[in-house]
Amino acid sequence: MLSNIERLVSVCSLDCPDTCSLIVEKIDEKIVKVTGNPEHPVTKGVICHKVRHTPDKVHHPDRLLYPLKRVGAKGEGTFKRISWEEAYAEIKEKFTAIIDEYGAEAILPYSFYGNMGVINTEGMDRRFFHRLGVSQLERSICNAAGSTGYVYTMGKSAGVDPEDTVHSKLIIIWGCNLLSTNMHQAMFLTEARKNGAKIVVIDVHENRTAKWGDWFIPILPGTDAALALGIMHILIEENLLDKAFIDAYTVGFEQLREQARDYTPEKVSALTGVSVEDIKKLARLYGTTTPSFIRIGNGLQHHDNGGMIVRAISCLPALTGQWAHLGGGAVKGNSSFSSFNSFLLERPDLMPQPAPRIINMNQLGRALLEIAEPPVKALFIYNCNPAQVAPEQTKVRNGLLRDDLFTVVHELFMTDTAKYADLVLPATSSFENLDLYSSYWHLYIMLNEPVLQPQGEAKSNFTLFKELAALMDFEEACFQDSEEDMIRQALDNPRNPHLLGITYEGLRQNKWLRAQTNQIAPAYQNPPTPSGKIELFSESLEQQGLSPLPAHVPLQDSKYPLRFVPGPNHQFLNTSLANLPKLQKLEGRPVIYLNVEDAQSRGIQNGDIVKIWNDRGSCRLFASVGQAVLPGVAVTQGLWWEDEELGYISVNTLTPDALSDIANGATFFSGTVEVEKA
Ligand SMILES: Nc1nc2c(c(=O)[nH]1)N[C@H]1C(S)=C(S)[C@@H](COP(=O)(O)OP(=O)(O)OC[C@H]3O[C@@H](n4cnc5c(=O)[nH]c(N)nc54)[C@H](O)[C@@H]3O)O[C@H]1N2
Ligand SMILES: Nc1nc2c(c(=O)[nH]1)N[C@H]1C(S)=C(S)[C@@H](COP(=O)(O)OP(=O)(O)OC[C@H]3O[C@@H](n4cnc5c(=O)[nH]c(N)nc54)[C@H](O)[C@@H]3O)O[C@H]1N2
Ligand SMILES: [Mo]
């Protein structure tokens, strides 16, 4: 029966830098196998364990296949099947009544990148909500602080082409667990290492990546700007600078010299927990190795000082002139190579004027419980699982429990969030959609054509919002667009020369095309900063009341003795895939890493169930006692759905909803906790 197998090309839709090209094998309308596409220049035939289990996700017995209406209490998860017509009628009735009584701002859309396809995340949905005139959502839960911090220095989100990192001789992986979160970067670095490169890992946790590197430097959370300034201090002191590069391409070096003077190795050691010897060794290694490459992760910017941390690190490559060398420089993200025409896609011009208020997604609990003018009376959630991923969970869940809140959730699964919904609408998986993908790390634009029929009565985000627009009698022509029309509009972006020549036809034929880099000056030569140079001194930051120069600002919260860093894990993708038994088994148990010193003083032993708590609430996890974290630090990995022995756990019960210094980002890792034996 081998002849029955169909082999099709698809794109991984997960929120991950690698955006892989997939080979999907299908028998009788069922996906049976998913592997990496050997022809894709970055995927190179290799995909992660998570995505090899895609068939289990797409054909999961728990997949939502029909619209559901809540019959039990909110949060309980009891629903009855209804038709799409009934669901639509209820949405229209509720939205109309809310708009009549409170105005459209009482409706809040809440979405993120559960699917990275641009048509299904920044397309018809945005048009619909703009036209409806509802509250705007500030989507800053992920990389906002760090990416913006980087842009203050470099002008845009562009750094080293990852394919060039095979040429690097010194690699610093800084606050990035890339063996789990960006495995194809690890593949390029393995090649660099074969060519003699040394790999340094700076992290608060001796995780997979730290063990894989050549030299692990443990650091105290939220102190990386101090380390970057300490490195600058030594580079300047020992004249390990590229003066010609600094003169040609940067502004503010003299002020930076003054600023760094104060960050002596002794002072930096006291702040960071890194020894004076290691600070000197690292700075000298950095000052004498070319090309060097810094992979700046997302973890180190989930702090209330996170924007400034990335801002500080992003100044380093200019000081030693790394940008001028193949494989030299840094990457926080590379999304500007593929920036699409967001105006045509999202149509912000459909919004009423003055524009509706903006609500920050990191403060959903506050929005639901505290905002009065007008109160949030309806939530429309898609591509996102806020009852797990947003900070201050107690507030979020109390908000979701409000009887007077009308909540619609569009999902593939009955997530914790969906259990609070009045209506749950079934979503297609990306394998059922036509969509356009880009990576925020590599340089390939990719087309995803459906490989499967929509399962059950599931609808894509695109279809859902197009039908909702018709339901609300929106007559603008843009609500008639097809996915193909929108892909063409997305690619038509005169402001991004890297998209020149990339067409829908070309993508249909090739499946992916590389962003153009030939004949376009590299980012360092003429960056779109106000001065047109790499800004070591930033007037724009000063105008916002922030330090114009890189600076270390201590984390705000120090109420409890342990700094709590709850990051992602290896087998799940945020909360996605965490409901696959095979992946749960591979991941093991949800643990909290504690230093022996902290465990002993609390009578905690390896494997004990511990209660972790602060003013916000508590949760229970298994203790893992050792030297994986420094004293005073507590690390967990993964956003688990449920655990039989522990009951419901959400580490985000403990995380703060304070916003970061730059760009109102999330500060998941800046909280403090106490731990005791349960
Ligand atoms: N397997 C897997 N892959 C994923 C995800 C997932 O959940 N699982 N999530 C995806 C998403 S949405 C994102 S944004 C990326 C995130 O992927 P990364 O960029 O790797 O970011 P994190 O894993 O959040 O954190 C990286 C590291 O930062 C460390 N860290 C925390 N605070 C500090 C600090 O103050 N200083 C330093 N030096 N290190 C610190 C953490 O210990 C962690 O090892 O991964 C994507 N890929
Ligand atoms: N403690 C802690 N919290 C964190 C983080 C952390 O490191 N620590 N990381 C933060 C970061 S960086 C991020 S990016 C966020 C991620 O937070 P989320 O964006 O909420 O990510 P997921 O948990 O993967 O949830 C995405 C949901 O979208 C659904 N989905 C997938 N495709 C589609 C689709 O096409 N249509 C619809 N309607 N739904 C779809 C999936 O089934 C899934 O339930 O979490 C943040 N929360
Ligand atoms: Mo993220």
Side-chain angles (χ1 to χ4, degrees):
M1 297 295 277
L2 271 179
S3 55
N4 262 350
I5 300 187
E6 272 181 274
R7 272 192 193 77
L8 302 152
V9 178
S10 184
V11 181
C12 178
S13 63
L14 294 175
D15 184 353
C16 164
D18 298 38
T19 315
C20 290
S21 177
L22 306 177
I23 301 289
V24 172
E25 290 182 24
K26 216 173 82 169
I27 302 179
D28 298 337
E29 285 310 306
K30 270 202 143 190
I31 295 179
V32 293
K33 195 171 176 189
V34 174
T35 50
N37 190 339
E39 281 163 36
H40 190 277
V42 175
T43 307
K44 292 184 194 281
V46 182
I47 54 167
C48 66
H49 213 80
K50 304 186 288 294
V51 175
R52 283 204 298 271
H53 287 285
T54 296
D56 295 355
K57 173 186 163 183
V58 175
H59 302 295
H60 198 297
D62 295 344
R63 241 193 94 175
L64 298 171
L65 299 174
Y66 314 100
L68 299 170
K69 184 180 163 79
R70 182 170 59 83
V71 288
K74 287 199 176 190
E76 184 187 281
T78 327
F79 291 87
K80 69 166 188 192
R81 182 176 169 179
I82 58 170
S83 68
W84 272 102
E85 288 68 32
E86 288 169 289
Y88 279 152
E90 183 158 347
I91 293 171
K92 183 166 187 175
E93 184 202 314
K94 288 278 173 17
F95 275 16
T96 309
I98 289 170
I99 292 169
D100 285 350
E101 192 173 348
Y102 300 94
E105 280 184 333
I107 298 171
L108 178 67
Y110 195 96
S111 74
F112 208 61
Y113 293 89
N115 170 356
M116 290 292 290
V118 71
I119 302 306
N120 280 288
T121 52
E122 300 174 343
M124 204 48 97
D125 55 323
R126 304 290 174 97
R127 292 179 182 181
F128 172 76
F129 287 119
H130 286 153
R131 173 66 176 77
L132 199 58
V134 302
S135 286
Q136 303 182 73
L137 186 71
E138 182 168 29
R139 291 178 174 83
S140 55
I141 204 168
C142 178
N143 63 328
S147 295
T148 313
Y150 180 94
V151 169
Y152 278 111
T153 309
M154 297 301 299
K156 59 179 176 179
S157 220
V160 182
D161 176 348
E163 290 172 84
D164 288 342
T165 60
V166 297
H167 303 293
S168 310
K169 290 293 177 225
L170 171 66
I171 291 115
I172 301 180
I173 302 172
W174 206 328
C176 187
N177 187 14
L178 57 77
L179 242 64
S180 297
T181 61
N182 184 194
M183 65 173 284
H184 293 84
Q185 179 67 77
M187 282 164 56
F188 288 128
L189 297 186
T190 299
E191 220 175 308
R193 179 142 69 177
K194 277 192 205 134
N195 301 331
K198 182 169 172 124
I199 299 177
V200 182
V201 178
I202 306 173
D203 204 293
V204 303
H205 178 209
E206 190 174 14
N207 53 28
R208 280 173 201 252
T209 309
K211 292 195 181 108
W212 172 81
D214 301 311
W215 180 21
F216 170 52
I217 304 178
I219 186 168
L220 291 169
T223 66
D224 301 84
L227 181 59
L229 280 151
I231 296 173
M232 293 177 200
H233 176 97
I234 295 165
L235 295 178
I236 294 168
E237 193 105 310
E238 304 189 2
N239 198 23
L240 301 171
L241 303 164
D242 184 337
K243 272 300 274 170
F245 186 95
I246 292 173
D247 291 344
Y249 299 117
T250 73
V251 289
F253 177 69
E254 286 313 316
Q255 292 109 310
L256 182 66
R257 180 200 293 278
E258 283 310 304
Q259 178 81 347
R261 202 187 293 281
D262 198 29
Y263 287 85
T264 61
E266 292 69 28
K267 174 176 164 168
V268 170
S269 176
L271 290 169
T272 59
V274 183
S275 70
V276 168
E277 298 72 59
D278 281 350
I279 296 168
K280 288 185 179 164
K281 186 174 144 191
L282 176 63
R284 287 174 187 151
L285 195 61
Y286 190 69
T288 56
T289 317
T290 294
S292 66
F293 166 61
I294 307 177
R295 177 68 171 101
I296 310 171
N298 221 46
L300 86 179
Q301 57 94 63
H302 273 323
H303 284 296
D304 54 45
N305 61 4
M308 193 51 94
I309 285 177
V310 175
R311 152 90 177 130
I313 296 171
S314 66
C315 290
L316 285 169
L319 298 181
T320 61
Q322 290 308 311
W323 293 111
H325 302 276
L326 187 68
V331 167
K332 171 66 187 80
N334 270 328
S335 50
S336 57
F337 286 105
S338 55
S339 69
F340 297 126
N341 191 330
S342 59
F343 181 86
L344 290 183
L345 273 173
E346 303 183 17
R347 294 296 305 274
D349 57 314
L350 295 172
M351 263 190 291
Q353 287 305 326
R357 68 177 172 195
I358 300 173
I359 291 177
N360 188 292
M361 71 183 300
N362 297 306
Q363 298 182 326
L364 177 61
R366 294 190 204 194
L368 295 177
L369 297 175
E370 293 167 20
I371 292 183
E373 287 296 327
V376 175
K377 299 293 284 184
L379 258 184
F380 202 116
I381 303 172
Y382 57 104
N383 283 342
C384 196
N385 187 9
Q388 272 278 4
V389 306
E392 286 268 20
Q393 277 300 309
T394 309
K395 283 192 203 167
V396 172
R397 288 175 183 243
N398 283 339
L400 291 171
L401 278 171
R402 266 177 44 199
D403 267 332
D404 65 329
L405 179 74
F406 175 61
T407 303
V408 182
V409 175
H410 185 224
E411 249 301 345
L412 283 90
F413 293 103
M414 187 56 75
T415 58
D416 284 302
T417 305
K419 288 182 185 161
Y420 289 89
D422 295 283
L423 292 177
V424 178
L425 308 175
T428 49
S429 73
S430 57
F431 296 97
E432 297 147 53
N433 301 340
L434 174 63
D435 213 327
L436 177 68
Y437 287 82
S438 64
S439 159
Y440 46 87
W441 167 72
H442 68 59
L443 269 51
Y444 295 86
I445 321 285
M446 294 153 79
L447 186 72
N448 182 60
E449 293 178 294
V451 296
L452 205 62
Q453 292 293 316
Q455 302 292 289
E457 294 180 6
K459 293 184 197 281
S460 69
N461 302 2
F462 167 85
T463 303
L464 169 65
F465 289 105
K466 187 169 170 163
E467 291 180 357
L468 283 171
L471 182 78
M472 301 305 279
D473 305 315
F474 294 166
E475 282 168 355
E476 288 79 0
C478 69
F479 291 110
Q480 301 302 321
D481 283 346
S482 65
E483 287 109 318
E484 183 187 322
D485 295 331
M486 292 181 74
I487 292 171
R488 291 179 191 281
Q489 292 158 11
L491 292 170
D492 173 19
N493 185 9
R495 283 176 307 163
N496 180 6
H498 299 286
L499 287 183
L500 262 183
I502 298 187
T503 61
Y504 182 69
E505 285 69 27
L507 285 170
R508 281 208 73 183
Q509 203 171 3
N510 298 287
K511 297 290 184 189
W512 61 81
L513 290 168
R514 195 178 193 282
Q516 294 286 352
T517 47
N518 297 343
Q519 288 151 16
I520 300 174
Y524 73 88
Q525 285 182 2
N526 196 7
T529 54
S531 64
K533 305 261 180 184
I534 297 173
E535 299 204 339
L536 306 176
F537 182 97
S538 162
E539 268 176 31
S540 328
L541 275 171
E542 191 169 41
Q543 280 157 14
Q544 300 198 30
L546 292 159
S547 169
L549 290 160
H552 167 69
V553 181
L555 295 179
Q556 285 158 28
D557 170 14
S558 55
K559 181 159 184 190
Y560 292 91
L562 300 170
R563 183 72 57 196
F564 184 57
V565 181
N569 67 9
H570 192 71
Q571 304 289 355
F572 311 159
L573 197 294
N574 302 314
T575 66
S576 294
L577 307 171
N579 60 338
L580 300 191
K582 279 186 202 155
L583 295 182
Q584 286 165 354
K585 208 168 158 200
L586 284 167
E587 189 60 37
R589 304 195 298 190
V591 300
I592 179 161
Y593 295 92
L594 297 170
N595 188 278
V596 187
E597 211 174 275
D598 292 319
Q600 273 174 0
S601 64
R602 291 167 175 80
I604 294 168
Q605 288 180 357
N606 211 17
D608 282 351
I609 294 181
V610 293
K611 177 181 162 191
I612 308 143
W613 54 276
N614 61 19
D615 292 355
R616 298 182 185 95
S618 72
C619 76
R620 284 146 50 99
L621 298 167
F622 295 97
S624 174
V625 176
Q627 301 292 347
V629 295
L630 292 173
V633 180
V635 167
T636 70
Q637 288 191 317
L639 296 165
W640 297 69
W641 286 30
E642 286 194 27
D643 181 275
E644 263 173 40
E645 243 180 292
L646 298 170
Y648 171 71
I649 41 160
S650 172
V651 288
N652 278 326
T653 305
L654 300 162
T655 52
D657 67 357
L659 302 180
S660 60
D661 53 350
I662 292 176
N664 300 328
T667 61
F668 289 108
F669 303 163
S670 293
T672 56
V673 295
E674 180 53 289
V675 176
E676 66 192 35
K677 209 170 149 159

